[in-house]
Amino acid sequence: MTHYLVTGGSGFIGAALVRRLVRDGHKVRVLDDNSRGHTGRLHDVLEAVEFVQGDIRDADAVSKAVKGVDSVLHLAAVNGTKHFYEKPEVVLDVGVRGMLNVLDACRANGVGNLVVASSSEAYQTPPAIPTPEDVPLVVPDVLNARYSYGGSKLISELLAVNWGRTGFDRVAIFRPHNVYGPDMGWEHVVPEFVRRAVAAVDLAPTGLVPFPIQGDGSQTRAFVHIDDAIDGIVTVVERGEHLGIYHVGNPEEVSIAELARQTVACLGREAEVLAGPPAPGGTDRRCPDISRLTALGFTPRIPLAQGLPGVVDWYAARTRSVAAGPVGQAAE
């Protein structure tokens, strides 16, 4: 049994990781301020974990949370493209100050094992597909607020690696690639597509369902189901090398147009994908090379065609519930 601190442990990925660690018999402490997460994600294990309400930017709170644990899994961050554009200062503050606080707290409390969550956004536009871990990390335009998140992850990797050279037994980094699943929040492409698909289906009861998207739909991503992502992260936690960096994902590349079509198909209809202006700062292709992680024993098990329907059903039910609203009141 290992005593873990999971920062950001009420977030989407963090909560799934906490549940897995508890199920595997470990002792778990969670540090989160619930600004984007919620303890409902931990409802089935909440009595088995020690939950510490605190802000990752509060050095004292972080130090107290780190004290007495064997290992820190640092996932606290402000994710979601909407937030990158609307509050980049907060994204950077949480990302950079949080990373520094975790490193200082580990050193002060003699915790030598640290695993850090980065992101594919750290390298932004990859020079090769599938993309290995040793590509350059890039911020293409410091004036574009979108890169607040990728920049914070780039800085976090630099900090983790260089602080980790001394005073740590092991520092490992993982970069998740487009993790999806139920209750991931609404600021991501899959839940956003479901929300729009439900509305479009309701407006077009017969025939093709018009579905506008950003760009021409040829842009690609590689989506990994949350269950596979947690298997990959646990593989890094258990077997990752000191100063090792690992891509966590499923190298099944799919176009955004195809994702739109599959989303609408999960609702029993056929989409007519309509091209629109591309998002500023978007990336044309992204698909991870996961050979480093597979060498440690990881293999993704859930293809998009198998994982997407349940997630669409989860979000569609909640979209319709919100749209219906309480009796006698306007829908939100």
Side-chain angles (χ1 to χ4, degrees):
M1 182 179 71
T2 301
H3 189 181
Y4 289 103
L5 169 68
V6 180
T7 73
S10 69
F12 169 55
I13 299 176
L17 179 58
V18 168
R19 294 196 304 272
R20 169 65 178 272
L21 294 173
V22 170
R23 191 166 69 245
D24 287 352
H26 298 293
K27 185 176 181 180
V28 182
R29 180 182 297 162
V30 171
L31 174 66
D32 208 312
D33 65 356
N34 287 331
S35 58
R36 296 197 62 245
H38 58 85
T39 53
R41 289 187 172 121
L42 299 170
H43 67 91
D44 53 340
V45 297
L46 197 54
E47 292 185 359
V49 306
E50 179 188 358
F51 189 90
V52 178
Q53 181 96 18
D55 191 328
I56 197 68
R57 295 172 293 181
D58 181 342
D60 290 338
V62 175
S63 185
K64 289 175 183 176
V66 168
K67 187 174 183 179
V69 303
D70 303 314
S71 179
V72 175
L73 313 181
H74 178 46
L75 281 76
V78 178
N79 199 357
T81 307
K82 177 174 180 285
H83 299 307
F84 307 165
Y85 286 110
E86 293 183 359
K87 47 184 180 182
E89 181 180 353
V90 175
V91 170
L92 280 159
D93 195 24
V94 169
V96 178
R97 197 184 307 272
M99 185 73 260
L100 284 167
N101 285 344
V102 166
L103 289 164
D104 287 343
C106 285
R107 281 187 168 179
N109 290 281
V111 177
N113 194 42
L114 172 64
V115 178
V116 175
S118 183
S119 169
S120 58
E121 295 279 342
Y123 61 75
Q124 181 50 29
T125 301
I129 298 290
T131 306
E133 289 85 351
D134 57 1
V135 296
L137 304 188
V138 176
V139 175
D141 180 5
V142 296
L143 296 178
N144 187 333
R146 176 194 172 88
Y147 303 125
S148 55
Y149 182 71
S152 76
K153 291 302 186 180
L154 189 163
I155 296 167
S156 292
E157 290 198 24
L158 279 171
L159 291 169
V161 166
N162 288 290
W163 258 246
R165 295 185 196 279
T166 58
F168 285 86
D169 300 317
R170 183 188 69 150
V171 173
I173 295 168
F174 65 91
R175 296 179 187 149
H177 285 64
N178 291 96
V179 184
Y180 74 100
D183 200 11
M184 65 184 295
W186 293 90
E187 308 90 359
H188 306 275
V189 63
V190 171
E192 171 64 15
F193 271 22
V194 177
R195 183 188 64 78
R196 288 162 49 192
V198 167
V201 165
D202 290 346
L203 289 172
T206 61
L208 295 176
V209 177
F211 197 92
I213 61 172
Q214 291 182 325
D216 63 7
S218 64
Q219 302 87 348
T220 67
R221 295 294 183 268
F223 294 91
V224 59
H225 191 275
I226 182 64
D227 293 349
D228 278 344
I230 295 304
D231 284 346
I233 293 167
V234 169
T235 301
V236 175
V237 171
E238 293 179 346
R239 304 189 202 104
E241 296 180 354
H242 180 47
L243 303 185
I245 301 172
Y246 302 89
H247 284 171
V248 174
N250 186 334
E252 177 192 3
E253 193 175 9
V254 61
S255 72
I256 296 302
E258 178 59 23
L259 177 67
R261 284 190 284 267
Q262 288 193 32
T263 301
V264 175
C266 289
L267 299 174
R269 299 290 298 280
E270 184 178 353
E272 179 187 11
V273 178
L274 305 174
T283 299
D284 286 340
R285 293 182 70 190
R286 191 175 286 153
C287 179
D289 180 339
I290 60 168
S291 56
R292 278 191 192 176
L293 196 57
T294 57
L296 298 182
F298 168 74
T299 302
R301 299 172 291 107
I302 305 171
L304 185 66
Q306 179 182 330
L308 187 62
V311 178
V312 171
D313 289 347
W314 193 95
Y315 274 100
R318 282 150 185 81
T319 299
R320 291 193 169 106
S321 174
V322 170
V327 175
Q329 294 186 19
E332 295 180 1

